[in-house]
Amino acid sequence: GKMIENDRVFMSNAMPESVTGGRMIANERVVMSKTIPESVVDKAVDSRPSCVVLMTIRNCAKFLGKIFANVEGLGKLFGDFGVVITFDNCEDKSESMILDYQKQSSYRVLVKNTNFRDNRRTVRIANGRNACLEIMEREFPATDFHIVLDADNVNSDGWKLSLLERYLADNR
């Protein structure tokens, strides 16, 4: 049977509750248990691939609301999902929007203020993306996919997630 203990899923050959008086015995320990909906247990042992979205942001506030909504939808396609965001020297509301998203997201969102001071935009973007990759490699070492996302008008329109969903289903 399956049971959840301390946010982990254990596979056990537990004795029936009728034999143990309402307790499940597993791994020579007595664990008080309650009925857990099968959907919760299934989610805990999700076999879908994992994914991390990487974003480098500077002065993109007018697009972030829609982009964050797209990212939240994207996360539903994966078993384990996270977001890594680096930002630097924002002169609009991007920084506060990023920090709000970090608090409100359904997923693990890691944020780093990189403070790169370079007049060359491409150097700042490259440094931000490299910082995202470093964080991803440290915090999400076994991820199956990562997506480097431009936080601009290109990704503020609605996404056709059905295309990605079909790809994932065909390539399991």
Side-chain angles (χ1 to χ4, degrees), residues 62-120:
K62 65 182 175 181
F63 307 114
L64 290 181
K66 291 180 179 179
I67 290 170
F68 292 153
N70 285 337
V71 169
E72 289 293 300
L74 177 67
K76 295 174 185 173
L77 301 181
F78 295 94
D80 187 25
F81 185 77
V83 181
V84 176
I85 299 172
T86 59
F87 68 94
D88 74 298
N89 306 310
C90 296
E91 297 168 355
D92 62 1
K93 295 181 180 181
S94 293
E95 181 177 353
S96 64
M97 292 177 75
I98 293 165
L99 298 176
D100 287 344
Y101 175 65
Q102 182 181 33
K103 292 175 194 168
Q104 297 169 4
S105 177
S106 305
Y107 305 102
R108 186 173 172 206
V109 178
L110 304 177
V111 173
K112 180 177 182 181
N113 183 348
T114 55
N115 283 318
F116 292 122
R117 301 271 180 203
D118 196 298
N119 292 331
R120 297 166 294 174

